[in-house]
Amino acid sequence: MPCSEKRARLLLGRGRAVVVRAYPFTIRLKDRTGSIIQPVRIKIDPGSKTTGIAVVRENGQKQHVLALMELAHRGRQISKSLDQRRAFRRRRRNQLRYRAPRFLNRTKPKGWLAPSLQHRVDTTRSLVNRLRSLVPVESISQELVRFDTQKMENPEVSGVEYQQGTLLGYEIREYLLEKWGRECAYCADKDTPLQIEHIDPKANGGSNRISNLTLACRPCNQEKGRQPLADFFASSKRLKNHQARLDRILKQCKKPLGTPPRLIQPGGRCIRP
Ligand SMILES: [Zn+2]
């Protein structure tokens, strides 16, 4: 039966218990046989980067939290490694003079999940199983919610627009050029080659979503490096007095451009240029 950290410390200090396992920290009482245990519930709140887990003792309506933990997921790392492996293999294949195509023999088994997602299921399940082997778990509850991420970015999205996505009718570069007015988002320089720039830097875990991308000239891109947007504006000499521009970027980045009207036929069908 789980106890508080203080109780465990005292029991160990007095030699009444021994350490069995370091994680999750488990002790065994030496001077007692037979025990009184109370039912415990595990509560799980799954997330994309971390999953929160709570172990609670339920006493009627009252609940006592016995342990709280967070499971950090490696999804990003896994997909990155797979991308790298793909690139290595592609390079190796390209060294061969000829190789018969064999891309039609690949099937995915039923219930297949992408490795970055599968690992989330597996690690959560194994931690729960480990807890079940240590604690008298009687029930498990899980918060299952689905977020409408498209609606979060664009509250007006509806109907067929869900299938069309923000990029319909554009290539990424074209879309960004249109969205950011063909100028550097930071210094507003127009006559210079523009580079795709991550607003929340990729090195800090920023995503490749279109809402995290903007355009910057080479000097701005290099100067920003891996700084967060606000830090960049605060530290840069050139941009110090351009608070309005920072606000504009923050407002603009979440706003979808809307589909280019010339590409949509009355029936709702899209013609690609
Ligand atoms: Zn610039």
Side-chain angles (χ1 to χ4, degrees), residues 159-249:
V160 73
E161 283 163 34
Y162 272 107
Q163 285 147 39
Q164 292 172 338
T166 33
L167 271 180
L168 177 73
Y170 288 105
E171 302 289 328
I172 286 190
R173 267 160 214 277
E174 187 57 35
Y175 180 88
L176 288 173
L177 283 167
E178 200 70 35
K179 181 173 174 183
W180 295 97
R182 292 170 195 275
E183 60 179 34
C184 170
Y186 301 133
C187 67
D189 200 349
K190 271 182 192 293
D191 305 315
T192 180
L194 296 171
Q195 303 177 331
I196 291 182
E197 148 82 10
H198 290 75
I199 297 172
D200 178 17
K202 220 179 157 192
N204 297 354
S207 79
N208 278 330
R209 294 200 78 139
I210 198 82
S211 59
N212 191 37
L213 298 178
T214 181
L215 292 169
C217 64
R218 193 180 158 82
C220 286
N221 197 348
Q222 296 226 315
E223 194 186 334
K224 180 163 178 288
R226 54 181 299 175
Q227 297 178 84
L229 187 61
D231 290 8
F232 172 51
F233 268 82
S235 69
S236 170
K237 275 188 201 122
R238 293 183 297 142
L239 302 173
K240 212 154 199 175
N241 302 316
H242 288 88
Q243 189 63 32
R245 218 174 272 158
L246 171 63
D247 295 339
R248 198 202 99 179
I249 294 171

Side-chain angles (χ1 to χ4, degrees), residues 7-273:
R7 185 134 183 249
R9 195 173 62 240
L10 292 176
L11 286 169
L12 286 168
R14 290 172 189 156
R16 288 184 55 203
V18 284
V19 177
V20 175
R21 196 189 281 244
Y23 176 81
F25 193 73
T26 312
I27 57 173
R28 179 170 57 79
L29 289 173
K30 293 203 291 185
D31 57 358
R32 251 198 251 173
T33 54
S35 56
I36 305 158
I37 50 173
Q38 292 148 298
V40 161
R41 179 188 288 270
I42 294 181
K43 296 186 161 189
I44 306 167
D45 179 12
S48 71
K49 287 181 181 159
T50 50
T51 286
I53 295 182
V55 179
V56 297
R57 174 162 57 82
E58 289 181 315
N59 186 6
Q61 284 295 317
K62 271 171 113 187
Q63 301 198 334
H64 302 269
V65 176
L66 301 169
L68 292 170
M69 52 200 93
E70 253 182 10
L71 184 62
H73 297 308
R74 308 185 333 271
R76 190 75 194 260
Q77 205 182 319
I78 290 174
S79 74
K80 222 166 148 188
S81 313
L82 289 174
D83 280 345
Q84 198 180 31
R85 186 179 73 178
R86 195 175 301 128
F88 286 152
R89 288 184 172 171
R90 186 169 302 141
R91 180 180 171 274
R92 226 178 304 138
R93 284 199 198 99
N94 286 340
Q95 290 173 334
L96 293 173
R97 202 165 287 177
Y98 176 73
R99 195 166 189 260
R102 41 177 231 182
F103 49 81
L104 288 175
N105 62 353
R106 313 291 160 92
T107 52
K108 293 201 165 84
K110 220 174 160 216
W112 180 89
L113 279 178
S116 54
L117 301 177
Q118 184 66 50
H119 112 283
R120 237 152 78 187
V121 177
D122 293 344
T123 48
T124 309
R125 186 185 287 164
S126 84
L127 182 56
V128 168
N129 280 339
R130 191 187 284 199
L131 286 171
R132 281 178 58 204
S133 70
L134 300 169
V135 177
V137 175
E138 201 168 63
S139 45
I140 296 175
S141 42
Q142 183 162 215
E143 186 178 0
L144 291 177
V145 282
R146 289 167 107 178
F147 289 103
D148 186 345
T149 45
Q150 288 202 53
K151 198 129 207 152
M152 281 158 73
E153 272 176 23
N154 172 20
E156 275 122 58
V157 71
S158 73
V160 73
E161 283 163 34
Y162 272 107
Q163 285 147 39
Q164 292 172 338
T166 33
L167 271 180
L168 177 73
Y170 288 105
E171 302 289 328
I172 286 190
R173 267 160 214 277
E174 187 57 35
Y175 180 88
L176 288 173
L177 283 167
E178 200 70 35
K179 181 173 174 183
W180 295 97
R182 292 170 195 275
E183 60 179 34
C184 170
Y186 301 133
C187 67
D189 200 349
K190 271 182 192 293
D191 305 315
T192 180
L194 296 171
Q195 303 177 331
I196 291 182
E197 148 82 10
H198 290 75
I199 297 172
D200 178 17
K202 220 179 157 192
N204 297 354
S207 79
N208 278 330
R209 294 200 78 139
I210 198 82
S211 59
N212 191 37
L213 298 178
T214 181
L215 292 169
C217 64
R218 193 180 158 82
C220 286
N221 197 348
Q222 296 226 315
E223 194 186 334
K224 180 163 178 288
R226 54 181 299 175
Q227 297 178 84
L229 187 61
D231 290 8
F232 172 51
F233 268 82
S235 69
S236 170
K237 275 188 201 122
R238 293 183 297 142
L239 302 173
K240 212 154 199 175
N241 302 316
H242 288 88
Q243 189 63 32
R245 218 174 272 158
L246 171 63
D247 295 339
R248 198 202 99 179
I249 294 171
L250 291 174
K251 217 166 77 191
Q252 182 86 353
C253 66
K254 294 279 176 196
K255 225 165 41 190
L257 188 53
T259 45
R262 65 201 157 84
L263 297 176
I264 305 283
Q265 281 183 335
R269 279 181 48 153
C270 162
I271 334 151
R272 292 207 172 264

